[in-house]
Amino acid sequence: MLKSVSAWLCLGTCLTLASCGGSRENDAVALTEGSLSLALEQLVDGTIIVASEQFASEVSDFNNSVDSFCSAPDEAGLSQLQTDWKTMADSWYRLLPFNFGPLFDDTVFPVYQFVDSYRVRGTNYTATVRSNIQTLIDSESETELGSSYFDGLTFQYVGLLPLEVVAFETSSDQSQVAADIVAEFIQQPRKCEVMEGLAGSVQNRADYVVNGWTLDHLESGTSYRDLFLAGDLDDGSEPLTALISAVQSYLDYLQQRDTVSNVAALSGNAWPEMQASIDVITELLEGSESTTVSLFDLMESAGNSADADTVRSNLEQANDAISDQDATSFNSMAAALDGNFKREIPDGLDVSLGINFSDGD
């Protein structure tokens, strides 16, 4: 069972509101309520929303590759299809650390489940997916296998995993030889219908997340971006609570579920996916190219450089573990970073963190 933060965050009494504005370029950064709000705004706009838009864009590119391949299946088209799946999966792992708001839009069946079934409880559904795909291919039913059909299925049968299974192996005997996969698509045209429907369903989910962040969250008429920055969240929590809790929970998931050893097995793409996550978490703290004030800037301005340096060191070691493809070391560093999001980061920002750790996914 995974630990999750059930917490409230508030600015500590040390944050005397000497300034209500954020920092401007060439201004000395100071840890104030205004500068923290500006940092949150910039990371939402420059990192989280960008990650959601990038994922939707990569899903669209994958859908285009599916259409192109299915119009004339060949090995070159399959290679492009597989490359685009990997790129799409990498972009998902840049978004997944921010599993709140539009991604976690429902307490029972949140949308992230329908993209990433392993994230739900660390169960590998490959065998279930294989069986379902084979049944759909063999079926003589006239049911149209469009995106609406797959939108109605439970999370085990949809998302990135079944698309990986369809694109990287044959359904008949799990051959990963390109010529065998292409031949099966030619001999079994219904397999393309399955892939097209699955890809369209992921597109629907990706577009929903972007819409929630930028236009309308849960038919409120307001974007989650605006709700988040105004502190008007679904569960009544503070914005910094939602952000820190989501990333901490994700890091806990990585090491508790040994995610790197259990995802993207057919594509061999697990390590690039882990790299994508560490990169986006680093960006969350360091800022992007457009950032004028980052969370690390604020930690250092408050005299908490040691806390920032501790986190940077752990991020560097996580990168080293990825370069070495050392799962044991990577899981150890994910656990260390999990701890950083419970301690050093809130402490370094001079915020008060009340924690109630409980078992749960």
Side-chain angles (χ1 to χ4, degrees):
M1 301 297 286
L2 305 183
K3 295 178 181 177
S4 61
V5 174
S6 175
W8 55 267
L9 293 174
C10 62
L11 289 172
T13 56
C14 61
L15 292 186
T16 57
L17 301 183
S19 169
C20 291
S23 66
R24 300 185 305 275
E25 189 173 359
N26 299 323
D27 282 351
V29 176
L31 181 54
T32 67
E33 185 174 27
S35 61
L36 182 56
S37 295
L38 178 61
L40 286 173
E41 180 179 355
Q42 291 183 348
L43 66 86
V44 166
D45 291 339
T47 298
I48 301 177
I49 291 178
V50 168
S52 71
E53 292 173 337
Q54 180 183 6
F55 177 59
S57 177
E58 299 298 351
V59 175
S60 179
D61 287 348
F62 179 79
N63 271 272
N64 291 336
S65 290
V66 169
D67 292 342
S68 177
F69 172 78
C70 286
S71 67
D74 60 18
E75 290 187 33
L78 178 65
S79 177
Q80 185 62 56
L81 185 73
Q82 293 177 342
T83 295
D84 286 348
W85 184 92
K86 292 177 182 179
T87 303
M88 174 176 63
D90 291 348
S91 67
W92 171 247
Y93 275 81
R94 284 187 63 89
L95 178 60
L96 188 54
F98 311 117
N99 191 19
F100 61 97
L103 271 183
F104 206 101
D105 61 330
D106 186 87
T107 57
V108 180
F109 298 117
V111 71
Y112 83 86
Q113 295 185 356
F114 298 91
V115 179
D116 190 343
S117 59
Y118 191 75
R119 179 65 180 91
V120 180
R121 57 179 69 95
T123 300
N124 187 334
Y125 289 104
T126 301
T128 300
V129 165
R130 283 171 171 160
S131 177
N132 186 57
I133 289 172
Q134 189 64 59
T135 298
L136 291 173
I137 292 173
D138 292 342
S139 174
E140 297 180 359
S141 169
E142 296 182 0
T143 301
E144 292 188 9
L145 299 176
S147 60
S148 59
Y149 171 81
F150 288 98
D151 284 347
L153 298 185
T154 54
F155 70 88
Q156 298 97 321
Y157 302 107
V158 295
L160 297 180
L161 175 60
L163 285 172
E164 182 185 19
V165 169
V166 168
F168 285 88
E169 68 176 23
T170 61
S171 296
S172 58
D173 59 3
Q174 287 78 60
S175 170
Q176 290 196 265
V177 176
D180 294 343
I181 297 172
V182 172
E184 184 173 74
F185 272 105
I186 294 172
Q187 295 163 8
Q188 300 276 6
R190 195 167 169 86
K191 186 174 181 181
C192 259
E193 293 182 41
V194 171
M195 184 163 63
E196 289 167 342
L198 284 165
S201 181
V202 174
Q203 186 75 67
N204 291 342
R205 268 66 189 242
D207 291 343
Y208 170 85
V209 172
V210 173
N211 182 77
W213 268 106
T214 61
L215 295 174
D216 183 11
H217 177 59
L218 295 179
E219 300 183 346
S220 65
T222 304
S223 69
Y224 191 77
R225 173 201 183 273
D226 291 347
L227 294 170
F228 179 87
L229 295 176
D232 187 14
L233 305 190
D234 304 334
D235 60 1
S237 64
E238 294 295 324
L240 203 51
T241 303
L243 177 61
I244 290 181
S245 296
V247 179
Q248 175 271 319
S249 178
Y250 176 70
L251 290 162
D252 191 44
Y253 153 74
L254 289 183
Q255 54 100 8
Q256 291 280 6
R257 302 302 192 192
D258 190 16
T259 305
V260 71
S261 301
N262 289 289
V263 300
L266 298 177
S267 61
N269 199 55
W271 286 110
E273 291 170 3
M274 298 305 104
Q275 186 68 69
S277 287
I278 294 301
D279 286 349
V280 81
I281 291 170
T282 301
E283 182 178 303
L284 172 74
L285 299 167
E286 294 279 14
S288 63
E289 291 182 359
S290 61
T291 299
T292 61
V293 55
S294 71
L295 296 182
F296 273 161
D297 288 339
L298 296 177
M299 291 170 67
E300 290 165 346
S301 73
N304 297 315
S305 296
D307 288 327
D309 289 343
T310 295
V311 183
R312 284 193 178 102
S313 175
N314 288 338
L315 288 167
E316 182 177 353
Q317 291 180 71
N319 281 314
D320 290 343
I322 292 171
S323 296
D324 295 339
Q325 296 193 4
D326 183 338
T328 300
S329 294
F330 179 76
N331 288 335
S332 176
M333 296 323 302
L337 288 165
D338 169 14
N340 295 152
F341 273 84
K342 295 171 185 172
R343 295 181 298 273
E344 282 82 3
I345 291 171
D347 290 349
L349 289 169
D350 287 341
V351 298
S352 177
L353 178 61
I355 304 176
N356 176 23
F357 292 113
S358 60
D359 288 338
D361 292 326

